[in-house]
Amino acid sequence: MDNPMLVAVRTLLKETYDGPKENASWYTEAKPGSGLFGTLEKISAEDASIAINGTTIAAQTDHTRYYLWVANSYLNGEEPNKDWGASWKITNVDKITWAQFTDELQQEYTTLLKKIDSLDSLDEQTSNGLLGALAHSAYHLGSIRQMIKSIKVPNQT
């Protein structure tokens, strides 16, 4: 991949989801587990179901997955039927559903990285879509980390 913008977007998405490389960071904490997946793996289904200011970590997670699904659809030239409100209706999850949410988020993230790897150039729409996916994901990473502080999950504060 020779396009500096694609390299940068991929690098920052990886930091957002996987965490920083080798204790170096562009914007997250420079320690292992600072990305979204490291943050979520320490959350139980019960904690993900605690309502904080009208939402749950489960809803934040599913909404982030849904956003990536929409972004991936557009990047594939599709026009998805969207129901943004549906992901925000998540209140309680059990252990199986919580694992499914995090697995599906991982799948959408992997799909996005593969799409980035397949691109040679960027038009304005694709650039905006990729930067939007990055900004949206970073926003929800921050939201989830703040929610964790509110419920005081051990080893997360």
Side-chain angles (χ1 to χ4, degrees):
M1 183 182 325
D2 294 331
N3 186 306
M5 179 66 164
L6 288 171
V7 172
V9 167
R10 190 179 205 292
T11 297
L12 294 174
L13 276 169
K14 286 188 72 60
E15 182 171 331
T16 302
Y17 284 91
D18 296 324
K21 282 174 71 171
E22 303 170 14
N23 294 325
S25 170
W26 288 102
Y27 81 97
T28 60
E29 284 182 89
K31 66 179 190 178
S34 297
L36 190 53
F37 295 128
T39 298
L40 294 176
E41 74 183 13
K42 298 169 190 157
I43 303 295
S44 68
E46 180 180 78
D47 288 335
S49 300
I50 296 172
I52 301 165
N53 296 324
T55 190
T56 63
I57 292 171
Q60 293 272 340
T61 302
D62 190 53
H63 176 76
T64 304
R65 184 233 16 112
Y66 187 77
Y67 185 95
L68 288 184
W69 172 79
V70 170
N72 284 327
S73 296
Y74 278 115
L75 288 168
N76 287 328
E78 302 163 5
E79 181 76 32
N81 290 326
K82 300 174 289 296
D83 181 1
W84 291 108
S87 61
W88 292 113
K89 293 178 184 174
I90 306 297
T91 54
N92 293 315
V93 292
D94 59 23
K95 190 175 183 176
I96 293 169
T97 305
W98 180 233
Q100 179 184 342
F101 278 12
T102 56
D103 288 348
E104 289 175 358
L105 178 61
Q106 177 74 51
Q107 290 169 12
E108 292 298 337
Y109 163 68
T110 300
T111 298
L112 182 59
L113 289 182
K114 287 178 183 174
K115 182 62 177 180
I116 291 169
D117 290 344
S118 75
L119 297 171
D120 294 322
S121 62
L122 291 168
D123 58 26
E124 183 177 356
Q125 176 132 352
T126 303
S127 296
N128 288 336
L130 291 174
L131 290 174
L134 174 59
H136 189 263
S137 299
Y139 171 84
H140 286 289
L141 169 60
S143 294
I144 290 167
R145 290 179 65 90
Q146 290 304 308
M147 291 173 79
I148 288 168
K149 289 181 180 197
S150 221
I151 60 174
K152 298 180 176 138
V153 174
N155 301 321
Q156 286 286 310
T157 55

